[in-house]
Amino acid sequence: MLLSVVPVAFAVETGQIFTLTFDNKAPHAGDKITATINLDQTPSDYYKVTTTLKYNKDVLTYESYTCSWEGMTCTVTEKNSGDDKSKVFFKIDSNKGKDTDILNKIQTRQTGAFATVTFKVNDSCKVGQAINYTFLGSFYDAKAMAAINNARVTGSLAVTEQGGSIITVPKTETGYSVSMGADQQLVSGQRVRIPVTVASSEKKITGFNAYDMTFTYDPAALTLNTKTGAAANLTVEDNNGTVRVRRYGDAVPLGEALALEFTAKATATSAVTLTNAKFDLDANSINFDAPEATISDADTVVNANNFTVTLPDAFTSDETRLVPKGGSFTFKPVDSHYTYTFTVKMGDSATEGLTFGANDTYTIENISGNVEVTYTGKTPKQYDVKYKIDEDVEQDVTKGPETVTYLNDYSFVVTPRAGYSYRVIYSVDNGDPFVHTVIAVPTANDDGTLTYTIPGKEIVGGVEIWIDPNTESGIPVVFTGNGVEDAASGNASSMGKNMPYYFTLNQRESCDYTVTAYYQPLATPTASKRPATVRSLGNGKYVVEAVNYNDYLYVYARSWNLVVKVEKVSHSAEEVTVSKYLELNDKTMMLITVKGTPEGGKAFTYDCNTMYKVNAYGTDQYAWLVIVDKGQTLTQEEAAAKVAISAADNVVTITLGFDVNMTGKVDVNDAQLVYDMYNGKYSDFTKVSVEKFLRADVNATKVVDHTDAVAIVNQFK
């Protein structure tokens, strides 16, 4: 039988402080073997020494140890079975420098053997089974920091048969196959990385330790950049286009085993070819040579017969920027709504002043060098404008220019005639065969004209504009508020859809006006009101800005009113006060008084009601009564907002007296009426007027109570 011999002793390496020597034999099952630990340096100035011998428990059973060092302790740690899972741990510790006796013993030891460990080879071991072990150690300083670390040493013995018969350790089948990377497209001067991938047909094979591969390439077309030392234990030998690459060492997973890097130095097509490959595991290195691996894909074609195309950010292409020699390249603008001028430089030759064709593309033919495109200028494109105007309103339209410019707003003007509203829509040819039309909403000008504008961002093609009289029924307009009486009689009663609404107020100099507006849904009470924008044009003229009827109103409700609310406050009202006048059963009567002097022929009004002048409250004092629900209030601001000055034929003046029921005679019925008032018999002004309630305050206290009734009775004692 063949003998398999394995190293059983280890040479001292640089920096090594311990060595380990096993019996110089190949043991068989049942043998006892010893491992001798040797100290190779004198441990002076160190306070702790540790060594560890790890072994695989599947094969060895620890039995005993002997040592030549006094004070040395030994710990045997038994862990799960498997390689290097159990260990023998030796330790000499001087208690971090405090135990001088142990310290002196450590520092005076000489080099040589200081421990021998005895193991037994398990009887159950199979012939050829490996005995794996790892040995390491350290010297420590007084701070327990490792000062010198022993080089990690690993090794293996093989178990043989009884009586010295020797067997060969079985070969591990690997089933390796190797393939080259995909073909590469590049240009002269560009670097290329070619991966070499290894796989295995054996399920249990997950990696490899060593390989030996040979490649060929064309040195006239490529320069090899991969060198020896580029990776651990890698040797690269290049003999004018024949490259031999070898590697050994720790296990590496399957997959990419190597990547060769080249630089293309000629405009040419060449191939990198794998001609031979050997891969193997370290387990097979004991007895066998590395076998040939299957080459499943031998070639990587490197095509450097190409040129690059560089485009500015304003241009793009659907094609690859790497073009073969003699090929063509087509590009186009990112934004086709500009007219560009550009330069094409190919190699050392440049052509200037170029433009795109009718289809907004440009093709460079017969490319023979690297291409660089730069654009030198751009101008926005112009498109035609077509108007289609109904002859009935043609006289009202002031057209814009005959062309539109990309990104520039385009405007035209309509001067509306009385009784007319206009339907204005436009479309822009954006290349979509189903281009839709857009309802145009005008901007109302101070002079009453309407400006229609097509935003520049929408102008990407020819424009068509349609202008017709709007025959649809308009939106009714309703005026509300205490200033409604000042709305001019000539204001239109409705407004056209998608149109602004102009109106006039006969504003009085003595009043401040607040004008707001909103759209009120009619047939759908639950729909929300929609705000409207009111703008003052000065001198009592206003405009409600146009809205897109379909988008802003129709999607919420089918029919609407435009409500214009006019509120005014008189300048000449020097003081407005509010106070409780009378408590009713479930209501409160509030007294509003105003001090001021209206112009001739005019009077103060409250919510469009002419107020009474009450001399008993002071000079130029006017009053009115309002009933609110119990618990509600009427603020001074709310009351002041409803005070105005209006034309009045006559103003009733109430003077202090006791004829409350206004019969011309003071009697007990006047007292009875006041009594009924402050006891809440009357909760509105249907039976008893505001004037009679005001006359009931006979003592001018601005409150009606029993004292007023007593005062009346005292008049006819």
Side-chain angles (χ1 to χ4, degrees):
M1 300 181 71
L2 296 176
L3 173 64
S4 176
V5 181
V6 274
V8 294
F10 302 93
V12 177
E13 300 177 4
T14 303
Q16 191 166 327
I17 57 176
F18 299 105
T19 54
L20 176 70
T21 304
F22 270 83
D23 289 346
N24 191 14
K25 66 177 181 178
H28 55 267
D31 272 356
K32 291 186 178 181
I33 60 175
T34 59
T36 303
I37 301 172
N38 299 279
L39 179 66
D40 297 314
Q41 296 183 18
T42 301
S44 58
D45 298 323
Y46 297 104
Y47 300 87
K48 180 179 178 181
V49 180
T50 65
T51 59
T52 303
L53 170 59
K54 296 182 180 180
Y55 61 97
N56 55 333
K57 188 181 177 185
D58 288 352
V59 183
L60 295 181
T61 299
Y62 165 80
E63 289 199 344
S64 63
Y65 79 99
T66 59
C67 62
S68 58
W69 277 25
E70 182 181 352
M72 183 175 66
T73 60
C74 172
T75 301
V76 179
T77 303
E78 299 277 334
K79 291 190 176 181
N80 295 331
S81 62
D83 290 352
D84 300 338
K85 294 295 185 180
S86 297
K87 65 182 179 180
V88 180
F89 176 63
F90 299 94
K91 172 182 177 184
I92 304 174
D93 193 344
S94 62
N95 195 17
K96 297 183 180 179
K98 297 178 182 179
D99 192 333
T100 56
D101 181 54
I102 298 298
L103 173 63
N104 291 335
K105 291 178 181 179
I106 294 174
Q107 295 177 344
T108 57
R109 296 297 179 192
Q110 301 300 312
T111 58
F114 75 90
T116 301
V117 187
T118 301
F119 296 96
K120 179 182 178 181
V121 180
N122 295 342
D123 291 333
S124 61
C125 286
K126 297 179 181 180
V127 173
Q129 190 165 353
I131 302 172
N132 298 324
Y133 50 86
T134 302
F135 176 65
L136 67 160
S138 298
F139 283 153
Y140 292 82
D141 60 18
K143 295 181 180 180
M145 302 295 290
I148 299 178
N149 291 313
N150 195 69
R152 181 182 294 268
V153 177
T154 60
S156 179
L157 303 177
V159 178
T160 65
E161 288 186 11
Q162 179 69 31
S165 296
I166 301 169
I167 59 95
T168 300
V169 177
K171 180 180 180 181
T172 301
E173 296 299 329
T174 56
Y176 290 118
S177 61
V178 188
S179 60
M180 296 290 288
D183 295 344
Q184 300 285 332
Q185 298 287 334
L186 63 153
V187 298
S188 177
Q190 186 176 347
R191 297 168 76 96
V192 61
R193 182 180 184 274
I194 301 176
V196 182
T197 303
V198 61
S200 174
S201 60
E202 301 287 340
K203 292 183 178 180
K204 64 182 179 179
I205 302 300
T206 60
F208 62 89
N209 289 81
Y211 62 67
D212 185 350
M213 291 186 285
T214 302
F215 305 85
T216 60
Y217 71 94
D218 182 1
L222 300 172
T223 297
L224 178 65
N225 300 323
T226 304
K227 305 295 182 184
T228 295
N233 301 326
L234 183 71
T235 302
V236 180
E237 298 176 3
D238 187 2
N239 185 17
N240 194 31
T242 299
V243 183
R244 189 175 184 184
V245 182
R246 287 167 288 187
R247 186 264 182 204
Y248 63 91
D250 294 335
V252 178
L254 296 175
E256 184 177 300
L258 171 69
L260 294 174
E261 186 179 279
F262 295 89
T263 299
K265 63 179 182 179
T267 304
T269 299
S270 60
V272 179
T273 302
L274 176 62
T275 60
N276 179 266
K278 297 179 181 180
F279 278 76
D280 215 342
L281 294 170
D282 57 356
N284 289 336
S285 66
I286 299 172
N287 300 304
F288 305 99
D289 294 329
E292 296 284 346
T294 300
I295 300 176
S296 57
D297 185 352
D299 297 313
T300 296
V301 176
V302 179
N303 183 0
N305 196 18
N306 300 295
F307 299 99
T308 59
V309 177
T310 303
L311 294 177
D313 292 340
F315 299 162
T316 188
S317 176
D318 299 327
E319 302 174 3
T320 175
R321 307 292 175 92
L322 196 65
V323 184
K325 182 179 181 180
S328 62
F329 180 81
T330 300
F331 61 97
K332 58 189 176 182
V334 174
D335 187 340
S336 62
H337 302 296
Y338 288 98
T339 298
Y340 295 88
T341 57
F342 52 90
T343 298
V344 173
K345 181 181 179 182
M346 183 162 54
D348 295 328
S349 176
T351 305
E352 300 178 346
L354 299 173
T355 60
F356 289 104
N359 59 351
D360 282 318
T361 63
Y362 186 88
T363 300
I364 306 171
E365 304 284 358
N366 194 25
I367 293 178
S368 59
N370 291 332
V371 175
E372 182 179 5
V373 180
T374 56
Y375 89 84
T376 55
K378 68 176 182 179
T379 56
K381 290 184 178 180
Q382 291 188 330
Y383 305 98
D384 293 334
V385 178
K386 295 180 181 179
Y387 284 88
K388 296 182 179 180
I389 307 173
D390 188 282
E391 62 181 9
D392 194 31
V393 295
E394 190 170 7
Q395 61 179 313
D396 304 330
V397 179
T398 302
K399 298 179 182 179
E402 294 181 352
T403 59
V404 291
T405 303
Y406 175 53
L407 294 182
N408 289 357
D409 292 349
Y410 180 84
S411 298
F412 55 95
V413 176
V414 172
T415 304
R417 281 179 286 159
Y420 274 79
S421 66
Y422 302 81
R423 177 178 177 270
V424 179
I425 60 175
Y426 67 86
S427 68
V428 180
D429 183 5
N430 59 2
D432 186 344
F434 303 102
V435 60
H436 67 286
T437 57
V438 179
I439 296 174
V441 177
T443 298
N445 300 317
D446 292 358
D447 61 0
T449 60
L450 309 177
T451 297
Y452 291 85
T453 300
I454 303 174
K457 64 181 181 181
E458 296 182 21
I459 297 176
V460 294
V463 174
E464 289 193 12
I465 301 168
W466 291 267
I467 306 174
D468 304 290
N470 195 341
T471 58
E472 295 180 308
S473 59
I475 301 172
V477 179
V478 178
F479 283 84
T480 64
N482 66 342
V484 65
E485 61 186 3
D486 295 335
S489 59
N491 292 333
S493 60
S494 66
M495 64 178 293
K497 295 177 181 177
N498 307 309
M499 297 285 290
Y501 176 72
Y502 289 89
F503 63 94
T504 302
L505 297 180
N506 297 320
Q507 294 184 170
R508 308 178 188 195
E509 294 182 0
S510 59
C511 296
D512 288 329
Y513 290 82
T514 301
V515 183
T516 57
Y518 59 87
Y519 293 97
Q520 173 67 56
L522 299 180
T524 311
T526 57
S528 301
K529 297 176 181 179
R530 302 288 287 163
T533 300
V534 180
R535 180 164 56 90
S536 173
L537 304 177
N539 298 322
K541 297 183 181 298
Y542 294 84
V543 63
V544 179
E545 301 287 3
V547 298
N548 186 311
Y549 179 82
N550 285 357
D551 292 344
Y552 194 71
L553 298 177
Y554 192 74
V555 294
Y556 298 98
R558 299 298 180 260
S559 56
W560 299 78
N561 277 346
L562 174 66
V563 179
V564 179
K565 188 174 184 180
V566 182
E567 297 176 308
K568 65 179 179 180
V569 177
S570 173
H571 286 236
S572 59
E574 299 173 4
E575 182 179 352
V576 177
T577 63
V578 180
S579 60
K580 289 184 180 180
Y581 189 70
L582 185 60
E583 289 288 349
L584 306 175
N585 289 334
D586 56 353
K587 299 179 184 297
T588 302
M589 188 177 292
M590 309 295 292
L591 172 68
I592 296 94
T593 61
V594 180
K595 177 178 175 57
T597 306
E599 304 95 59
K602 297 182 179 181
F604 284 115
T605 60
Y606 184 87
D607 202 13
C608 300
N609 298 291
T610 303
M611 301 179 74
Y612 293 90
K613 188 173 184 180
V614 183
N615 289 339
Y617 291 158
T619 304
D620 297 324
Q621 289 282 348
Y622 293 78
W624 188 257
L625 297 175
V626 175
I627 297 173
V628 299
D629 290 335
K630 185 73 71 177
Q632 289 188 346
T633 60
L634 177 66
T635 66
Q636 189 273 343
E637 291 79 11
E638 292 171 339
K642 295 186 177 184
V643 173
I645 296 178
S646 303
D649 294 334
N650 59 341
V651 176
V652 177
T653 300
I654 299 175
T655 58
L656 187 62
F658 302 95
D659 184 12
V660 177
N661 58 14
M662 301 172 61
T663 62
K665 181 180 178 179
V666 177
D667 62 8
V668 70
N669 276 356
D670 294 298
Q672 181 63 42
L673 178 58
V674 172
Y675 174 85
D676 289 339
M677 288 179 180
Y678 66 71
N679 279 287
K681 185 174 182 179
Y682 308 106
S683 59
D684 55 36
F685 301 119
T686 56
K687 291 185 177 182
V688 180
S689 66
V690 171
E691 181 177 355
K692 289 181 180 180
F693 269 101
L694 287 172
R695 288 179 179 276
D697 183 17
V698 297
N699 55 13
T701 60
K702 296 187 177 180
V703 175
V704 174
D705 57 17
H706 73 283
T707 61
D708 295 295
V710 171
I712 295 172
V713 171
N714 288 337
Q715 295 301 309
F716 48 84
K717 285 182 179 180

